[in-house]
Amino acid sequence: MDTAASQLHAEVNRLQHELQTLKVQYHAEDDELITVSEYILKRLEQLNVKSIFGVPGDFNMPFLDYIEDHPTIEWIGTCNELNAAYAADGYARVKEHSIGVVVTTFGVGELSAINGVAGAFSEMVPVLHIVGVPSTTQLKNKPMLHHTLGNGKFDVYTKAAENVTIAQAILMNKAQAAVEIDRILTECITNARPVYLTIPMDLTSEKISAKRLKVELSRAPPPNDPNVESYVLDEIMELVDDAKQDVVVLVDACAIRHDLRQEVDDLLVKTRFPVYAAPMGKTAVSEEHERYGGIYIGSVTDPSIKERVENANLILSIGALKSDFNTGMFTYHIPATHTIELHSDHTLVRHAKFPGIGMKSLLPKLTERLSKYQEGASRIPVPHYKLDVPKESDDKISHAYFWPRVGKFFRKQDIIVAETGTSNFGVLDVPMPDKSVFVSQILYGSIGWATACTLGAALAGRDKCLGRTILFTGDGSMQLTVQEISTMTRHKLTPIIFVLNNKGYNIERHLHGLDRKYNDIADWKWTSLLTTLGDMEGKMSKSYMVRSKSELNKLLDDDEFANAGKIQLVEVIMDKYDTPRALQAAADLTAKMAAGQV
């Protein structure tokens, strides 16, 4: 959506909400007064937020008092603000229909968190970043306060935030506080992007009317123009007819971010079209669905899947995000003439773009019209993708063996978090059980993200009564954000953490500098981490080291380990140069691109 259209949509939403609010306020008999802080928390309660992440600082602590005293929202104090932002990101990804919330202090705190917020912006994750700032008088007079740059420029941090959030609210008086809070939260939930809110210390306890809270915030996307939508549906149906029902559905990340899981499931049930997923769309569709064929990553794809997708007469792409790693280094071999793309704010039919025709409204209508093809589509075979555990002659743990083997360990409703790089590429080919949730950061790719993300993901999983939380990360990545293990222990979370110890940055080695020292790291005593970081008596955790296939199998087959009753860490010893198939293929493509051969 272009800037003008986005602004118009936001303004229409705001005016509609104001109209509803005025009607409620007009008919309300009483006018309860609550503080600005309580208003924010009431709105978050309505959005089903139960955890808020952050670090205390003198400018945000008046607001933290209200969080700590709240009956249903828990303050999750993290070891630093960057990790808090990563945790809020993970919370929002797993707890769909809610949002992640991170609270920092002015300047030093918010700048520490900004990388995590940027990742949420990049990958379309709804996160609210609340910043406690100096008093309104200080903001106006600009004295040389701590946490400033000492040059009287108090707006530099807000300017930085403008680049990684879709909307900002700078509260300066109580009169507009509720309106501004509602505005940015609406932007957050309708666009699936982070927003930024500042609260001056002297406004946290100011009283405002609670009447607006009687009107819940709208999640509805803007309506499609019915005439244009009808034309688009006719165009799509003509292409499906021409394709002689040989249609493949390709699901990607935005189907998750923009709440299309049910609509996609309805499409598959009523049409029986074969369905595949891009890496960022993994588990958007159940991987046990009888019409699911696997992951498509351009030239990095398993050959049998690649042939089926690329030879289809027509691709119906839902919620695509065509980043480099998500498309196999831009090697999608699907011509635009054979493609229909449905997005949250536009539709592409071959080379024609239809702005404002969003998939949330369009897809159910399209499904009803496509249902007549069910019988023919059912005859198209969809080989169910399997990843067998290979028989290898030695007892070393290779990537070719490890990933299929842990795939047998997964259960329904598991939350599986994979760090950018080796772990993410390794687990992509692994079929996951029904109702499992896969979490990764393929587009932004911030090293260390997964460990702190696991904190938020595990808390969201607890809220939703999901299964185990399982993290796969490398020794290099873990060193960036390892402190958050202590927060997991403190809050009695019980993730299973697999640390792949291959003596450094495996993905970097294979992208560039295989033997360079900058890809080496200091080795740690990984099996001592859990007792060092929170479980000092050693009663709440357990650690393991596995060096061989036999040791790995014994551990994975152990019921006590598999039931995840306590936080557990598994150090997996692997060869320094071994790497997953998909990562090696991507690295080879990257090298060719750098050399101008692609």
Side-chain angles (χ1 to χ4, degrees):
M1 185 181 294
D2 60 38
T3 303
S6 178
Q7 290 174 344
L8 180 60
H9 170 218
E11 182 62 13
V12 169
N13 270 352
R14 188 190 69 79
L15 290 172
Q16 288 176 336
H17 187 263
E18 286 304 304
L19 182 60
Q20 289 179 289
T21 303
L22 286 171
K23 289 178 180 177
V24 169
Q25 289 176 336
Y26 180 77
H27 292 289
E29 294 180 0
D30 59 336
D31 187 10
E32 179 190 357
L33 296 180
I34 61 173
T35 66
V36 172
S37 298
E38 289 168 335
Y39 188 93
I40 294 169
L41 294 174
K42 285 284 187 182
R43 278 299 189 206
L44 296 180
E45 191 177 358
Q46 290 175 353
L47 294 173
N48 202 22
V49 172
K50 294 188 182 300
S51 296
I52 292 178
F53 307 89
V55 177
D58 53 349
F59 292 124
N60 70 19
M61 288 191 288
F63 178 59
L64 300 193
D65 290 343
Y66 286 93
I67 300 176
E68 187 167 310
D69 293 341
H70 195 278
T72 64
I73 296 176
E74 186 176 12
W75 170 251
I76 308 295
T78 56
C79 297
N80 61 54
E81 292 90 353
L82 174 60
N83 288 352
Y86 287 158
D89 180 325
Y91 186 88
R93 288 175 190 252
V94 173
K95 196 168 181 180
E96 295 167 31
H97 311 296
S98 187
I99 65 172
V101 184
V102 55
V103 178
T104 67
T105 197
F106 178 61
V108 292
E110 58 184 305
L111 290 185
S112 180
I114 198 169
N115 182 54
V117 176
F121 183 89
S122 173
E123 302 225 342
M124 293 189 168
V125 181
V127 170
L128 168 63
H129 184 187
I130 301 175
V131 182
V133 299
S135 70
T136 53
T137 300
Q138 290 171 325
L139 291 173
K140 291 172 184 175
N141 296 333
K142 300 179 177 56
M144 191 178 289
L145 288 179
H146 62 289
H147 299 341
T148 70
L149 300 179
N151 60 359
K153 294 183 178 179
F154 277 39
D155 62 346
V156 289
Y157 310 128
T158 300
K159 288 180 177 178
E162 287 172 356
N163 293 282
V164 295
T165 56
I166 197 167
Q168 307 80 36
I170 314 304
L171 301 188
M172 288 298 288
N173 62 72
K174 67 177 185 178
Q176 290 299 310
V179 174
E180 286 292 275
I181 292 162
D182 289 355
R183 175 180 64 83
I184 63 164
L185 285 176
T186 301
E187 288 282 284
C188 183
I189 61 178
T190 56
N191 292 288
R193 282 261 165 87
V195 293
Y196 175 86
L197 172 67
T198 66
I199 311 177
M201 296 176 69
D202 57 329
L203 286 188
T204 54
S205 299
E206 286 290 315
K207 295 289 187 75
I208 59 175
S209 171
K211 284 183 179 179
R212 295 179 63 91
L213 293 170
K214 295 181 180 182
V215 179
E216 292 199 6
L217 302 176
S218 172
R219 295 178 176 273
N224 294 342
D225 181 303
N227 293 325
V228 178
E229 184 178 68
S230 178
Y231 176 79
V232 169
L233 287 167
D234 290 342
E235 289 291 296
I236 293 173
M237 293 302 296
E238 186 176 326
L239 289 178
V240 174
D241 283 334
D242 291 344
K244 303 187 185 333
Q245 303 173 34
D246 183 14
V247 179
V248 160
V249 178
L250 182 60
V251 183
D252 209 340
C254 287
I256 302 171
R257 304 291 191 267
H258 293 281
D259 190 27
L260 238 73
R261 286 185 189 270
Q262 186 58 56
E263 288 83 351
V264 171
D265 285 344
D266 288 345
L267 171 74
L268 300 179
V269 168
K270 292 178 179 176
T271 65
R272 306 278 297 165
F273 288 150
V275 60
Y276 297 81
M280 290 178 71
K282 188 172 177 67
T283 67
V285 171
S286 170
E287 298 193 358
E288 292 185 356
H289 193 289
E290 59 182 323
R291 304 295 285 169
Y292 175 77
I295 298 290
Y296 176 67
I297 332 172
S299 294
V300 178
T301 312
D302 179 275
S304 62
I305 297 173
K306 183 176 186 294
E307 180 182 8
R308 177 67 193 93
V309 173
E310 294 180 358
N311 289 337
N313 289 338
L314 188 65
I315 301 292
L316 178 58
S317 170
I318 303 176
L321 270 174
K322 295 185 178 179
S323 71
D324 49 2
F325 283 157
N326 202 38
T327 62
M329 309 313 292
F330 306 117
T331 58
Y332 268 24
H333 292 291
I334 306 170
T337 52
H338 293 178
T339 305
I340 298 159
E341 290 188 18
L342 307 186
H343 295 275
S344 62
D345 56 10
H346 70 280
T347 299
L348 294 171
V349 181
R350 301 205 290 188
H351 294 290
K353 181 176 182 179
F354 299 91
I357 302 300
M359 58 186 176
K360 184 72 175 175
S361 173
L362 178 71
L363 190 55
K365 300 180 181 74
L366 180 60
T367 295
E368 292 306 314
R369 294 185 63 171
L370 291 173
S371 59
K372 66 180 182 179
Y373 297 110
Q374 184 185 88
E375 184 178 347
S378 297
R379 299 193 197 103
I380 299 173
V382 184
H384 194 70
Y385 181 73
K386 289 172 43 178
L387 190 64
D388 295 323
V389 181
K391 297 186 184 302
E392 296 183 337
S393 58
D394 60 43
D395 205 25
K396 291 181 180 178
I397 302 174
S398 65
H399 283 282
Y401 183 90
F402 178 76
W403 296 108
R405 180 62 186 89
V406 296
K408 309 299 181 189
F409 175 72
F410 295 154
R411 297 174 178 173
K412 288 187 177 183
Q413 293 194 307
D414 278 347
I415 301 166
I416 299 154
V417 185
E419 176 61 90
T420 295
T422 309
S423 298
N424 184 60
F425 277 98
V427 81
L428 277 179
D429 285 338
V430 177
M432 294 186 177
D434 185 40
K435 295 185 179 9
S436 57
V437 180
F438 178 61
V439 183
S440 65
Q441 198 191 53
I442 293 173
L443 172 54
Y444 194 64
S446 185
I447 184 172
W449 166 86
T451 300
C453 168
T454 298
L455 167 63
L459 285 164
R462 178 189 286 178
D463 290 353
K464 295 182 68 177
C465 299
L466 296 178
R468 305 170 300 181
T469 301
I470 304 172
L471 166 64
F472 295 97
T473 187
D475 52 347
S477 296
M478 175 70 98
Q479 289 191 2
L480 275 81
T481 51
V482 69
Q483 314 96 310
E484 249 29 80
I485 286 176
S486 65
T487 312
M488 299 177 205
T489 305
R490 180 183 181 187
H491 291 280
K492 297 181 172 51
L493 300 171
T494 61
I496 299 173
I497 302 169
F498 288 92
V499 181
L500 311 185
N501 187 344
N502 47 23
K503 310 301 180 189
Y505 303 124
N506 182 270
I507 183 172
E508 309 296 1
R509 288 191 202 286
H510 289 272
L511 291 174
H512 186 84
L514 192 65
D515 293 303
R516 290 291 185 179
K517 292 180 181 178
Y518 52 66
N519 285 326
D520 297 335
I521 62 169
D523 204 3
W524 286 5
K525 191 173 181 181
W526 295 98
T527 52
S528 296
L529 276 181
L530 297 183
T531 50
T532 300
L533 297 175
D535 183 24
M536 289 177 284
E537 295 182 4
K539 297 179 180 179
M540 301 165 60
S541 67
K542 197 159 185 181
S543 296
Y544 312 83
M545 177 191 290
V546 293
R547 294 179 174 275
S548 63
K549 292 183 177 73
S550 54
E551 290 177 350
L552 175 66
N553 287 325
K554 182 180 178 182
L555 180 62
L556 295 180
D557 290 337
D558 183 88
D559 287 340
E560 184 180 356
F561 171 75
N563 289 335
K566 56 179 65 176
I567 185 170
Q568 299 173 103
L569 183 145
V570 184
E571 180 183 4
V572 184
I573 305 298
M574 307 187 86
D575 183 84
K576 181 176 180 178
Y577 298 107
D578 188 28
T579 202
R581 176 203 68 80
L583 176 53
Q584 186 60 63
D588 292 344
L589 282 170
T590 301
K592 289 180 180 178
M593 290 172 66
Q597 298 173 8
V598 176

